[in-house]
Amino acid sequence: MSSPDVPRAFLYADPAAHSLSPAMHRAAFRHAGLRGEYTALRVSAGELGEAVARLREPGVLGANLSLPHKEAALAHLDDLSEAARAIGAVNTVVNRQGHLTGENTDAPGLSAALGELGVVFGRNETHPTNDPVVVLGAGGAARAAVYTLLGLERNVYIVNRTRERAEELARMPGFGEAKARAADPHELPWPEVRLIVNASSAGLDAPDETPLPGFDFTALAPGALVYDMVYRPRETRLMREARAAGVRAENGLSMLAHQARLAFLAWTGVDVPTGVFLEALEVAR
């Protein structure tokens, strides 16, 4: 690691080369008028414990965590935020004088992104509280998505290649009457579904890959949205096929910017506007 005179933050992922996080956080340091470095590092599963331990060093602000570390990192931390503990996954580690706290900014980042896209939550005539939503995947990102959607009073169906993993995630405590359950695609009430969130890695740097092969998007409820957390490529096969059927589809860049803003705030105490992160993403692409 570099000199402790300059505050440092990192991304731990495997792979890490595709990440746009360095561009966003470097822009945030500039906007805030702070000295700081942000580096994306490829960290394998076997290296995670040692890499997390290095975050305790003086001058280190913390790190973002991405695939495959969001769940495994919990065992290496001193404390967890309430959301991170409930979700069972961490995407942000904060170093406070050698004490490492795990936080999850994915959940509020997703909520903010969906709100900007006009997704309406809560009870109203158009969207009754029990409107079902579908989450694809059962890893760390999916845990944040399920937590978010349950908190927004939606019943959640979890679809995953390994049903056992989906069933494990479905046991997450609900909020109020909202519940989560594992399901295979043929079991879902598609005509009632107005939101699909892809929280799997399907499509990441793989333009021909989709988590819903052969799916008929016209089966969805009118006004449905497909939100793909994947942001590289910017238009995934899932998004292309949804749009071809007349269904609105968006990638995960907005969520990426919102969660980055919250991570930067946790590290520095400075709240940089989300627009700074979004502008950096546009330049970096």
Side-chain angles (χ1 to χ4, degrees), residues 138-278:
R143 299 188 72 86
V146 171
Y147 175 85
T148 299
L149 294 165
L150 288 175
L152 294 171
E153 301 182 67
R154 285 295 184 270
N155 292 325
V156 181
Y157 288 95
I158 304 165
V159 177
N160 192 56
R161 286 178 297 181
T162 305
R163 184 171 177 125
E164 290 78 9
R165 286 269 288 167
E167 290 173 345
E168 177 185 348
L169 176 51
R171 289 193 284 271
M172 177 183 289
F175 297 80
E177 297 180 359
K179 304 295 181 185
R181 69 199 74 181
D184 294 327
H186 69 272
E187 300 174 311
L188 298 182
W190 291 114
E192 301 173 24
V193 173
R194 289 188 172 87
L195 176 64
I196 297 175
V197 176
N198 177 33
S200 76
S201 60
L204 178 63
D205 289 327
D208 295 326
E209 188 177 49
T210 175
L212 284 177
F215 181 67
D216 179 11
F217 287 91
T218 64
L220 297 175
L225 168 69
V226 174
Y227 190 83
D228 197 337
M229 287 189 184
V230 172
Y231 56 84
R232 182 167 282 176
R234 293 205 168 199
E235 186 177 63
T236 61
R237 178 180 165 186
L238 181 73
M239 293 171 60
R240 290 197 308 272
E241 293 180 348
R243 288 171 173 172
V247 174
R248 187 166 58 134
E250 301 290 342
N251 64 29
L253 284 173
S254 57
M255 175 183 170
L256 183 67
H258 281 291
Q259 66 80 23
R261 170 188 152 262
L262 294 169
F264 191 86
L265 175 62
W267 292 329
T268 67
V270 179
D271 193 356
V272 172
T274 306
V276 172
F277 297 90
L278 288 169

Side-chain angles (χ1 to χ4, degrees), residues 46-71:
E47 298 169 325
L48 181 62
E50 182 179 348
V52 171
R54 291 198 297 269
L55 298 178
R56 301 180 188 275
E57 295 180 5
V60 175
L61 299 171
N64 290 132
L65 303 175
S66 191
L67 290 170
H69 304 313
K70 292 185 178 184
E71 296 167 83

Side-chain angles (χ1 to χ4, degrees), residues 6-97:
V6 179
R8 290 152 289 151
F10 301 89
L11 169 72
Y12 290 168
D14 187 11
H18 71 283
S19 177
L20 299 177
S21 291
M24 289 192 297
H25 287 287
R26 290 167 187 168
F29 279 121
R30 290 193 298 271
H31 179 88
L34 299 176
R35 297 176 68 208
E37 298 176 355
Y38 187 101
T39 306
L41 298 176
R42 183 176 183 179
V43 174
S44 69
E47 298 169 325
L48 181 62
E50 182 179 348
V52 171
R54 291 198 297 269
L55 298 178
R56 301 180 188 275
E57 295 180 5
V60 175
L61 299 171
N64 290 132
L65 303 175
S66 191
L67 290 170
H69 304 313
K70 292 185 178 184
E71 296 167 83
L74 273 68
H76 304 288
L77 303 174
D78 301 313
D79 196 13
L80 299 173
S81 69
E82 181 179 346
R85 183 174 292 107
I87 294 168
V90 166
N91 78 319
T92 301
V93 179
V94 181
N95 177 26
R96 295 185 176 93
Q97 298 181 324

